[in-house]
Amino acid sequence: MAETYDHLYALLTSLEVLKQYLANRQATVLGNQFLYYAQGFPKLRVAPDVMVIFDVVPGGRDNYKIWEEGQVPTVIFEMTSFGTKGQDEIFKKTLYEQLGVKEYWLFDPNSSDFREVSFSVKKRYAMVQSTRQRRCLRRAIRRRKTKKIS
């Protein structure tokens, strides 16, 4: 569950924008739902804030089991915070890398920290820093906070 209102807002906004963007594609966008990654071991699961899976039937699901769908999420977004940073940057990063997730994005709405951890040819994630993306995101957050105040 989202730690703060800003985290919830970022999660819901990301979910809706991605759903609209991928509306006519063979893909699904899921939010805060269990991702089961080991058949026969129901306790081995995570709940990414937002995940995008291509080449599957579009639409919602109660959970996502990789072995049933035959596809690993292509992109995962985590709305990270001080409380979840360790798990997001170590455990989940390692897990997603091992599963073959191509892109892993970390965003802390309280600090405007936005990082991409991309899958590389060497089958290892590498941190990608995008100044342009950070600037755009900070502007959007400032505009939203300004609107909240007025």
Side-chain angles (χ1 to χ4, degrees), residues 46-119:
V46 289
D49 289 331
V50 177
M51 58 182 159
V52 179
I53 308 107
F54 289 96
D55 301 320
V56 296
V57 176
R61 292 149 173 77
D62 292 335
N63 55 58
Y64 189 86
K65 297 174 182 169
I66 292 172
W67 62 92
E68 286 182 3
E69 302 274 356
Q71 294 293 332
V72 171
T74 303
V75 184
I76 292 180
F77 297 87
E78 292 289 356
M79 307 317 156
T80 193
S81 66
F82 181 77
T84 64
K85 189 175 183 177
Q87 185 175 17
D88 293 339
E89 291 183 355
I90 298 168
F91 171 74
K92 287 185 177 181
K93 175 186 170 286
T94 303
L95 174 65
Y96 298 156
E97 188 173 50
Q98 290 171 350
L99 291 175
V101 174
K102 290 192 170 87
E103 292 183 43
Y104 179 39
W105 292 83
L106 298 170
F107 173 59
D108 184 346
N110 290 331
S111 73
S112 301
D113 187 20
F114 193 64
R115 288 172 287 151
E116 175 188 12
V117 186
S118 289
F119 188 68

